[in-house]
Amino acid sequence: MRYELYRDAGGQWRWRLRVQNGNVIADSGESYVRREDCERGIELVKGSAEASVVDMTAKIA
């Protein structure tokens, strides 16, 4: 897997997480004016390995 930093059509920074088969499995969902902020977004995702998983279907029903 790899994180890709790139500029969108508006010239702002974004990231995406691409797996070995070329598919994108996650992206920033927002653009960043500063590259440093985009890189910080990647670090937040990398650090979220301990985040809990919540089944939201149980909360909707």
Side-chain angles (χ1 to χ4, degrees):
M1 291 193 299
R2 69 174 187 245
Y3 287 92
E4 299 175 341
L5 284 167
Y6 66 97
R7 288 190 182 258
D8 62 16
Q12 295 194 339
W13 291 97
R14 290 180 174 267
W15 63 263
R16 61 185 159 227
L17 178 58
R18 193 177 296 268
V19 293
Q20 299 220 339
N21 67 4
N23 290 340
V24 174
I25 60 167
D27 64 41
S28 57
E30 66 178 307
S31 59
Y32 300 89
V33 174
R34 297 178 343 128
R35 178 185 173 120
E36 295 81 12
D37 295 333
C38 187
E39 291 171 343
R40 177 68 182 133
I42 292 171
E43 292 306 315
L44 287 170
V45 172
K46 284 181 175 180
S48 68
E50 296 178 16
S52 62
V53 175
V54 177
D55 181 356
M56 296 303 290
T57 58
K59 297 192 181 280
I60 294 171

